[in-house]
Amino acid sequence: MAAEALFSRIADDLRRQIVTGELAPGERLPTEHDLAARYSTTRATVRKALAVLRSEGRIDSSQGSGSYIKRRAPILMQSTGAVRRSRRRSGAPNFNAEMTARGLEARQELLRVDTITAAPEIAAQLGLDEDTEVIVGRLMFTVEG
């Protein structure tokens, strides 16, 4: 398995904290200097990681103010059996069909596929040994760009 660039690992860690709610919407991220110290790297590497999160729409940044977790309106899916069956007839993935039914333009993009060692909690959920390699796909779902 190829070594992942440090800025990608930093972005992955911060993304995980955003997704799990450890970093709440509207919360200010630590400064570039503090993040560089936390990850034992340079501010340039931290800037690359933050640029990834900005491009994904997860954070906003402004010079002199810092970077903040974006506030997002929740997108709730109607995933009852009847709704899923009716959406399946469209031929589009359920997410896309649901958003189209709401008059919104939705898109899914496969960002990458990696083989990694399963995190302990994932290995437990899948009934695997902790050192088992798994395939992870990273998708980006967007609504209205």
Side-chain angles (χ1 to χ4, degrees):
M1 172 172 51
E4 186 178 21
L6 180 56
F7 79 90
S8 291
R9 292 195 311 264
I10 294 169
D12 288 347
D13 187 47
L14 292 172
R15 184 183 305 105
R16 179 194 55 76
Q17 291 175 56
I18 293 168
V19 170
T20 62
E22 289 176 56
L23 293 171
E27 185 176 340
R28 184 174 188 262
L29 284 170
T31 65
E32 289 177 1
H33 178 76
D34 290 342
L35 288 170
R38 177 187 301 172
Y39 293 101
S40 300
T41 189
T42 65
R43 286 180 57 203
T45 300
V46 168
R47 280 189 208 111
K48 283 183 177 181
L50 296 178
V52 169
L53 297 174
R54 226 179 351 269
S55 73
E56 294 175 358
R58 295 183 187 276
I59 66 171
D60 280 323
S61 301
S62 65
Q63 189 158 352
S65 177
S67 296
Y68 296 84
I69 308 305
K70 269 193 172 179
R71 298 181 189 273
R72 294 177 182 250
I75 295 176
L76 302 174
M77 297 286 294
Q78 296 179 1
S79 59
T80 63
V83 170
R84 280 186 175 269
R85 281 189 295 280
S86 70
R87 302 277 191 252
R88 193 177 323 139
R89 290 185 205 117
S90 74
N94 189 51
F95 173 80
N96 294 44
E98 173 75 18
M99 295 305 110
T100 299
R102 296 180 189 192
L104 300 170
E105 182 183 339
R107 197 171 141 233
Q108 294 179 40
E109 180 182 349
L110 178 62
L111 300 176
R112 69 182 202 229
V113 176
D114 296 309
T115 301
I116 63 167
T117 301
E121 62 274 13
I122 300 299
Q125 287 179 356
L126 297 174
L128 303 171
D129 293 332
E130 284 192 23
D131 294 334
T132 303
E133 287 197 337
V134 294
I135 297 172
V136 177
R138 295 190 190 273
L139 290 167
M140 179 169 56
F141 292 74
T142 57
V143 178
E144 298 292 305

